[in-house]
Amino acid sequence: MAQEKSAQAAPQQREEGDPNRWKALAVCLVAGFMTLLDVSIVNVALPSIRTGLDTPESDLQWVLSGYALAFGLLLIPAGRLGDARGRRSVFMAGLALFTLASASCGAAQTSLWLVISRLVQGMAGGLLSPQISALIQQMFQGRERGRAFGVFGTVVGISTAVGPLLGGLLIQTAGAEEGWRWVFYVNLPIGIVCLFLARRLLPDTPDAKPVRLRRLDPVGVLLLGTAVLALLLPFVQSQQWHGNAKYLLVLVAAALLAVFAGWERRCARSGAEPLIDLDLLRVRSYWLGSLLILLYFAGFTSIFFVSTLYLQSGLHYTALQAGLAITPFAVGSGVSAGIGGRLVDRFGRPLVVLGLTMVALGLAGTAFAVHQVPGRGAGWAMLAPLLLAGLGSGLVIAPNQTLTLSEVPVRRAGSAGGTLQTGQRVGSAIGIAAVGSVFFAQVTEEGWATAYDHGLLVSIAFVVAALVVAVADVVAGRRSAARG
């Protein structure tokens, strides 16, 4: 009888799991919210930073691009480090570094100081972020795991939506002169409380052990980072570096990417773990989906960058007014993301084609609205087309991730997902650099609307390129089905 009761209790205990798991999830979600919030909240602070630190245009771009690039490059090695050394310890290290970097950003006295602090902040976010999904998998089973990931997805959407509004409110409250500092200082109390709770509530990793540096592929990280940096430099520094010789760095970037590909193949042959599993690129849906999301993130993240600069510096909106003006995009994306997740199994890649078409039309409508309603009324005219673009965006990101990973073998799912996220962050950095260089080249005393038009055209070009990739995947899929 005792053995029978014990046998019945064991499954029940496994089903119940850690009694603190939902509290631990709350800690993870707050920390994740903070790192993702810093992607969007800083946009409305850029004009204040520009005035407060006398920041050149290139440094404004690095404030955003540097964060995205550093974040993306550390995602994959940080995930491996957490699995090997313990997710709680890596989570806490990333959170502590993020909090300290936020304090350094807020205290910055020069634009160089701020850019370096943002790079460190991005690295810390890259350390922390992979631990959240890994901890959810560790703490939850069955239906509970699905619920936990659903809550995490909601938090990701909310962080994007409230970023511009929260940044605008902070700057409005603290003043345009120094209010931008509180965009970073707001992380300090949150980070400190989360650190204390993480130590108490997060579970340790039972099979944690020392990890060899080789497993993190530092050479691959360095090669990829240097290649992307060489690609970004001529665009970010276009106003500071005169002449066309700077574009030779694009050839250097291409050469470094070739060396990176060779190194990754060598790692795979020798039995080491490469940063990016190049064999995944043989799966059509995966490589097309990865290229699509890189191009799309290059297009849509740069919209917030040029929109806030145009509204605040060109039309003299307050930070709060600018945040309100671009909020419809985030709200539309949040509303349609859930719908896209439910419909993707039914419609497949054509759903993504529809979403990208809506985004392209919405951005074109935004450019048209700025011309039709010049002056301070432009912000109101932008609301409807930005909402359309946002509704389309929700049909792109989550459905594309589902479709891109659908044919990836389960044993490679972690590597494939990490590579996909890295592509998103690298795409963001490239888009901000490219759109920013065109935007700042057109800005004059009376040319903000023209600069905004040109910047939006580059964003639309990235989105249209992503649309072409999506259509190519649909056509290739139908041909494969016909042959089958």
Side-chain angles (χ1 to χ4, degrees):
M1 180 70 72
Q3 289 178 348
E4 205 173 299
K5 287 183 180 178
S6 175
Q8 289 174 352
Q12 184 180 358
Q13 187 176 8
R14 281 196 298 271
E15 188 177 336
E16 289 176 356
D18 186 348
N20 290 322
R21 62 192 181 280
W22 289 104
K23 294 177 182 177
L25 175 64
V27 175
C28 291
L29 295 182
V30 171
F33 177 84
M34 185 170 62
T35 59
L36 292 170
L37 187 70
D38 264 51
V39 176
S40 60
I41 195 174
V42 176
N43 278 285
V44 293
L46 291 176
S48 296
I49 293 171
R50 187 181 190 184
T51 304
L53 295 181
D54 193 23
T55 307
E57 290 88 349
S58 59
D59 285 359
L60 285 180
Q61 292 175 79
W62 282 122
V63 166
L64 297 178
S65 292
Y67 182 86
L69 182 58
F71 196 117
L73 289 175
L74 282 192
L75 281 171
I76 297 175
R80 292 176 187 165
L81 186 64
D83 291 342
R85 294 302 300 268
R87 298 176 190 110
R88 181 179 66 182
S89 58
V90 177
F91 178 95
M92 292 180 64
L95 182 56
L97 184 60
F98 189 90
T99 305
L100 290 171
S102 297
S104 180
C105 288
Q109 299 301 309
T110 65
S111 58
L112 178 61
W113 179 342
L114 178 60
V115 168
I116 293 172
S117 299
R118 280 286 283 175
L119 286 169
V120 176
Q121 196 184 35
M123 292 169 62
L127 271 177
L128 190 155
S129 186
Q131 314 316 321
I132 297 174
S133 55
L135 283 165
I136 290 174
Q137 287 182 301
Q138 179 180 334
M139 294 187 293
F140 296 94
Q141 302 291 332
R143 291 183 180 179
E144 278 197 342
R145 182 181 289 178
R147 284 172 56 199
F149 273 116
V151 175
F152 179 49
T154 302
V155 167
V156 170
I158 291 173
S159 67
T160 305
V162 304
L165 274 179
L166 181 57
L169 283 169
L170 287 169
I171 294 170
Q172 187 89 357
T173 303
E177 188 74 23
E178 296 293 321
W180 66 268
R181 298 185 185 276
W182 289 96
V183 167
F184 301 107
Y185 284 148
V186 73
N187 293 332
L188 302 188
I190 300 172
I192 291 168
V193 171
C194 280
L195 268 174
F196 173 74
L197 293 175
R199 183 172 179 81
R200 291 187 56 195
L201 297 173
L202 293 188
D204 209 349
T205 305
D207 55 351
K209 58 186 179 181
V211 60
R212 292 182 179 179
L213 185 63
R214 184 186 176 193
R215 190 183 171 201
L216 305 180
D217 193 11
V219 175
V221 173
L222 181 63
L223 284 171
L224 181 59
T226 307
V228 177
L229 185 64
L231 181 63
L232 297 182
L233 275 172
F235 298 100
V236 175
Q237 301 294 135
S238 61
Q239 299 300 302
Q240 285 72 31
W241 296 353
H242 302 291
N244 294 324
K246 57 180 176 284
Y247 292 109
L248 292 174
L249 283 171
V250 175
L251 300 178
V252 174
L256 285 169
L257 285 173
V259 174
F260 169 74
W263 172 260
E264 296 300 278
R265 289 193 183 93
R266 179 184 173 187
C267 283
R269 284 197 301 267
S270 66
E273 292 189 60
L275 180 67
I276 294 176
D277 187 351
L278 296 180
D279 285 342
L280 289 170
L281 300 182
R282 296 176 183 174
V283 181
R284 190 202 76 245
S285 61
Y286 181 78
W287 78 262
L288 282 174
S290 299
L291 177 61
L292 184 156
I293 207 64
L294 186 149
L295 291 168
Y296 180 66
F297 266 72
F300 106 94
T301 53
S302 53
I303 297 164
F304 300 104
F305 175 54
V306 293
S307 293
T308 53
L309 285 171
Y310 168 61
L311 291 170
Q312 290 178 255
S313 299
L315 300 182
H316 307 294
Y317 278 36
T318 65
L320 179 57
Q321 289 170 333
L324 286 168
I326 62 176
T327 295
F329 185 100
V331 172
S333 181
V335 168
S336 61
I339 299 171
R342 289 193 297 270
L343 295 179
V344 63
D345 290 334
R346 181 178 175 186
F347 294 103
R349 185 67 75 188
L351 181 68
V352 178
V353 171
L354 173 64
L356 288 167
T357 303
M358 290 170 65
V359 175
L361 290 174
L363 295 184
T366 303
F368 180 74
V370 170
H371 274 292
Q372 293 300 110
V373 187
R376 290 180 61 83
W380 288 102
M382 292 163 58
L383 295 180
L386 281 179
L387 178 62
L388 174 64
L391 289 169
S393 185
L395 302 179
V396 175
I397 299 174
N400 179 74
Q401 179 160 332
T402 301
L403 295 166
T404 302
L405 298 177
S406 62
E407 296 180 15
V408 172
V410 175
R411 62 188 175 83
R412 292 181 176 177
S415 174
T419 302
L420 199 60
Q421 287 192 52
T422 299
Q424 292 174 5
R425 305 303 167 196
V426 170
S428 296
I430 292 171
I432 289 165
V435 174
S437 67
V438 171
F439 178 82
F440 287 120
Q442 296 294 325
V443 169
T444 61
E445 282 298 318
E446 299 174 355
W448 285 96
T450 302
Y452 186 54
D453 279 350
H454 282 76
L456 275 184
L457 282 174
V458 179
S459 292
I460 294 169
F462 279 121
V463 173
V464 170
L467 176 59
V468 170
V469 173
V471 171
D473 191 27
V474 170
V475 172
R478 288 177 178 173
R479 285 178 177 171
S480 296
R483 285 196 298 268

